[in-house]
Amino acid sequence: MNEKLKNTNMQNIIYKIMIGVFLTSMILSCDDFLDDMPDNRAELDTREKIAKLLVSAYAETTYYRLAEFSSDNVDDHGNTFPLKSDLNEELLYWKDAVATDGNDNPVRVWAQNYTAISVANTALQAIEEIGNADGSMNPLKGEALLCRAYCHFVLVNLFSLHYNPSTASVDPGITYMEAPETTLNPQYKRNSVAEVYEKIERDILEGLPLISDAEYAVPKYHFNRNAALAFAARFFLYKGEWEKVIKYADELFVGNPAPFLRDWMAIVNYTSAPNDRARKYIGADENANFLIKTAYSNMGQYATGYTWSGRYRHGARLAEMETYYANAPWGYLSSTSQYKWPIATYNSANQVSRLVPRMPYIFEYTDPVAGTGFYRTVTVEFWAEETLLSRAEAYIMLGRYNEALADVNLWRQNVTVSSLEFTVESANLFFNGINYYDGEGYKPTLKHKLNPASQLYDVSSDKTKENMIHLLLYCRRLETLSQGLRWFDVKRWGIDIFRYTLDANSTVSDFANSVVKLPYDDPRRALQIPDDVLVAGYEPNPR
């Protein structure tokens, strides 16, 4: 999983096809573009070769940066914190991102996912050509199908509006690639969001039964069975098919999710260094981790407290008013001692930050003498607590509140020292007692107005269901902080975002001139297609 693509020729061809121009300045190790055969697929004539190829069916970028800095998990700490990133600023204010700093900009996220998709398609074609009469190729086919589905899932949720069955057939999605590309400069049309979701579902349902953990030396670096089940649960959560969310989560947890939950005290006792705690978090020996992936990314610097992009952070204001230390349904947890989480706190001339370290900062030297190389990190794409809270959300939407509370209380017990049990009554009491966070004056609360486009998410006629969803979304926000999923929850539930520029004291002293709003129905919730792709004639997102 730490390897880069071996077939550099194939990589460059895919980039040229998908973007319409050579992106050689952005591709790693591409000097020998003309040294290889123009098409190496003919050499994929054994099971072993296909298995080795599938190592490259996982995108070498992460969507975390694009999603996290677009979400409401980040403040602008103002000019008193001079370190910043042009790309993060564009994301923060929902501009069409053109900055290319770092390895996880839109161009690379787009191209790397399509590169991985092409690898998966090449493997699937090779399996078809070799034959699979005895079923020996099934685990490889299953992995390829799930890799293809997941890369498209990432792309459609970044670069399109969220799935809405009422409009999905006309909402622009992305191109669903189902075969290796062989022509030089094809013109692609966008599939609708509905078509993309249909094809993702088909690939998940076909691929999941074929997965075998025995195929891998370290299953968690591949789409093992638990990772595939967690992916299915998240996919059907985003599609609003609640019974299926529960079905796949149940298959994963086999009646008892407790053994899968993360041992936070083991992380706390392991070390006090945030970066080392992040390394422990992403460990393959951690039961909670289902799929682990490496990436060229600056997010490890962000998540472990380095001063990269110090101006744009999840800092003290957010932590105290909206996340970790906010007045919460389980009580006011005003210090790190009330969490089992190792919340890292940084206050310096360059940043104010409050984060649980979940991604390590790794630097890969290409020239140790010159000190040059690439920023890398390791991400956990699917993990137990997120799947548990997905199941809890599905229970809520089906009105099965006691089962939902069992999951949420199990999660709470695992991350806080609070002994307060959530009940339907306590959820109603808490959320009925606070105002909506509507941006009229600076009065943040944990209760956001919900304006989901999809009727599948409509809870407006049931106050108890709405309050339970407020509770669930707060738990999900804490659980996924810095990992990008809050952006998709905001899109799913139609939540307005208020972006604040803070003063030197990390507060909002001038509300009228310090807030920018992204309404729930703003088309910028679909990130713009990268410029290089648009130049090649691809349909842009409406603005």
Side-chain angles (χ1 to χ4, degrees), residues 299 321 355 528:
M299 283 301 288
M321 304 192 78
L355 285 170
Q528 187 56 274

Side-chain angles (χ1 to χ4, degrees), residues 2 4 28 296 362-367 372-376:
N2 291 318
K4 294 194 293 185
L28 307 172
Y296 290 95
I362 302 167
F363 193 79
E364 178 186 328
Y365 286 96
T366 54
D367 187 338
T372 57
F374 300 103
Y375 295 114
R376 300 201 71 169

Side-chain angles (χ1 to χ4, degrees), residues 172-464:
I174 45 95
T175 303
Y176 204 95
M177 298 289 292
E178 299 175 83
E181 187 51 69
T182 56
T183 57
L184 180 61
N185 191 26
Q187 298 298 308
Y188 288 104
K189 292 184 178 180
R190 299 177 70 168
N191 292 107
S192 68
V193 171
E195 290 170 333
V196 175
Y197 263 65
E198 288 168 6
K199 293 174 185 295
I200 292 171
E201 181 173 352
R202 176 205 63 198
D203 281 354
I204 291 174
L205 296 182
E206 182 180 355
L208 200 160
L210 306 179
I211 293 294
S212 171
D213 290 6
E215 181 70 23
Y216 315 114
V218 184
K220 291 185 180 182
Y221 285 101
H222 301 265
F223 256 113
N224 57 79
R225 181 163 175 77
N226 285 346
L229 290 168
F231 177 24
R234 188 185 297 174
F235 170 78
F236 285 112
L237 182 78
Y238 284 19
K239 197 178 179 192
E241 296 189 19
W242 317 117
E243 294 282 6
K244 291 180 181 178
V245 179
I246 296 167
K247 164 184 163 61
Y248 290 108
D250 283 352
E251 285 187 37
L252 194 164
F253 293 131
V254 197
N256 184 14
F260 291 91
L261 300 187
R262 195 174 307 276
D263 184 352
W264 283 107
M265 296 314 299
I267 295 176
V268 170
N269 294 332
Y270 176 69
T271 178
S272 61
N275 200 43
D276 289 336
R277 284 178 168 174
R279 289 175 183 269
K280 182 72 171 171
Y281 178 93
I282 56 90
D285 60 346
E286 170 57 62
N287 287 341
N289 296 339
F290 299 147
L291 179 61
I292 304 165
K293 187 170 75 68
T294 63
Y296 290 95
S297 173
N298 294 86
M299 283 301 288
Q301 289 177 285
Y302 174 78
T304 52
Y306 289 85
T307 54
W308 169 75
S309 193
R311 176 171 172 173
Y312 308 121
R313 287 273 166 176
H314 180 272
R317 186 206 71 84
L318 272 163
E320 292 166 7
M321 304 192 78
E322 298 188 43
T323 60
Y324 297 126
Y325 310 136
N327 182 20
W330 53 73
Y332 188 68
L333 301 185
S334 57
S335 72
T336 57
S337 64
Q338 292 168 304
Y339 280 101
K340 297 177 184 177
W341 277 331
I343 301 173
T345 300
Y346 310 97
N347 294 298
S348 73
N350 292 318
Q351 65 164 305
V352 174
S353 184
R354 307 285 187 272
L355 285 170
V356 174
R358 291 186 169 105
M359 285 163 281
Y361 162 53
I362 302 167
F363 193 79
E364 178 186 328
Y365 286 96
T366 54
D367 187 338
V369 176
T372 57
F374 300 103
Y375 295 114
R376 300 201 71 169
T377 193
V378 180
T379 62
V380 180
E381 301 292 298
F382 296 99
W383 67 101
E385 292 85 354
E386 191 272 332
T387 304
L388 182 70
L389 293 176
S390 294
R391 184 173 74 173
E393 182 175 338
Y395 280 141
I396 291 170
M397 295 306 292
L398 293 173
R400 295 163 63 174
Y401 300 143
N402 289 337
E403 291 161 290
L405 286 168
D407 283 350
V408 173
N409 277 314
L410 181 62
W411 173 85
R412 177 199 54 76
Q413 292 164 7
N414 199 55
V415 301
T416 80
V417 298
S418 173
S419 60
L420 292 176
E421 291 286 320
F422 292 132
T423 64
V424 172
E425 291 74 18
S426 67
N428 279 329
L429 181 65
F430 179 85
F431 285 104
N432 285 339
I434 61 176
N435 294 323
Y436 285 104
Y437 182 4
D438 59 7
E440 296 299 324
Y442 183 53
K443 299 175 182 178
T445 74
L446 305 187
K447 184 177 178 180
H448 297 259
K449 288 184 177 179
L450 306 176
N451 305 280
S454 172
Q455 291 299 308
L456 296 171
Y457 289 89
D458 186 12
V459 294
S460 59
S461 62
D462 188 333
K463 202 64 180 176
T464 293

Side-chain angles (χ1 to χ4, degrees), residues 35-93:
D35 293 343
D36 296 331
M37 293 174 60
D39 189 346
N40 283 344
R41 286 173 293 166
E43 297 181 358
L44 290 175
D45 52 4
T46 69
R47 190 182 192 281
E48 181 182 10
K49 290 178 181 179
I50 296 171
K52 289 181 178 179
L53 176 68
L54 283 173
V55 171
S56 299
Y58 300 83
E60 290 194 316
T61 53
T62 174
Y63 64 85
Y64 284 13
R65 184 177 179 184
L66 299 183
E68 190 69 10
F69 285 91
S70 298
S71 79
D72 54 358
N73 280 342
V74 184
D75 275 333
D76 182 344
H77 285 78
N79 290 324
T80 54
F81 297 88
L83 297 177
K84 67 176 186 176
S85 151
D86 291 339
L87 174 59
N88 290 353
E89 182 172 301
E90 290 172 346
L91 295 169
L92 209 77
Y93 290 105

